[in-house]
Amino acid sequence: MANYCIELGADKSMPAYKQRCMQLTEGGFSLLEVLIAMTIGSVLLLSAARFLPALQAAMLHQTRQQALEEAVWQHLFTLGKHLQRAGYCRGECSGQPLVMGRQGACIIVRWDANSNGRWEFSPLSEAEQTGFRLQSGVLETRQGAESCDEKGWDKITDPATVSVQRFTVVRQPPDVLAPMLTLTLAAAPLNHPEDAISATYSVVGYNL
């Protein structure tokens, strides 16, 4: 810090004590203050560098879990709609409207999609029966399925990213007129079984 005195007036013959002065102060940081500020800044940068990867990992984990949960519920709603339609027939249909196998891990539903009074079994592209099953960690489906063990099933879930740990359908005894069907689906990101998402959804089989 330095002090300066500026003389006001040009008459040098005036006594010094009569000269008017204006004192100016020049301020700044000392070397010690600069070093302290640099040290604090370095500590903050190091803390941020350690915290940022953890924050990114947490956000990625949350996004992945949210996407998995949405996918699980979407599959349950789709399966639930098929079970609600199972058995519908606008006429005289022959056959079982709902076939359950593998202790509930495989189902085949039949319903009169075109309302022509019968369940179509052929051709395959127009078959009015659809199967769903759990096979080696993958949820699969097949139009025109006749059994749970035949070939030609299509994958619903992606085995490269998701592992389905459980799929079951439990048929409860009829409460009044229609039975209750409870679906359970559990899935986890591939190689992360500890992050599994499990959901249960119940529907009424009005046509069963």
Side-chain angles (χ1 to χ4, degrees), residues 15 17 22 29 31 37 42 50 52 64 70 74 78 108 122 124 153 157 160-161 173-174 177 179 183 204:
Y17 69 89
M22 180 176 65
F29 294 105
L31 179 59
S42 299
R50 292 182 178 180
L52 185 58
R64 184 178 61 191
E70 291 177 356
Q74 183 179 1
T78 300
I108 298 175
S122 62
L124 188 62
W153 292 69
T157 57
T161 58
L177 296 175
L183 303 91
V204 177

Side-chain angles (χ1 to χ4, degrees), residues 4 6 14 20 32 72 129 153 155 175 179 200:
Y4 300 93
I6 300 177
M14 296 179 62
R20 292 176 295 172
L32 179 60
V72 166
Q129 56 186 20
W153 292 69
K155 294 179 175 59
D175 186 10
T200 300

Side-chain angles (χ1 to χ4, degrees), residues 16-97:
Y17 69 89
K18 290 185 178 182
Q19 294 180 4
R20 292 176 295 172
C21 296
M22 180 176 65
Q23 186 176 11
L24 300 178
T25 301
E26 182 181 29
F29 294 105
S30 66
L31 179 59
L32 179 60
E33 292 173 331
V34 172
L35 292 175
I36 293 175
M38 291 179 63
T39 302
I40 295 175
S42 299
V43 172
L44 292 177
L45 288 175
L46 289 174
S47 300
R50 292 182 178 180
F51 179 71
L52 185 58
L55 178 61
Q56 291 176 336
M59 292 179 62
L60 179 61
H61 178 267
Q62 183 177 2
T63 302
R64 184 178 61 191
Q65 289 297 97
Q66 184 176 359
L68 178 61
E69 183 175 1
E70 291 177 356
V72 166
W73 278 108
Q74 183 179 1
H75 295 322
L76 282 178
F77 290 149
T78 300
L79 292 165
K81 288 182 179 179
H82 279 81
L83 288 173
Q84 286 178 316
R85 295 167 178 166
Y88 166 72
C89 179
R90 192 178 180 181
E92 297 293 333
C93 298
S94 60
Q96 293 182 342

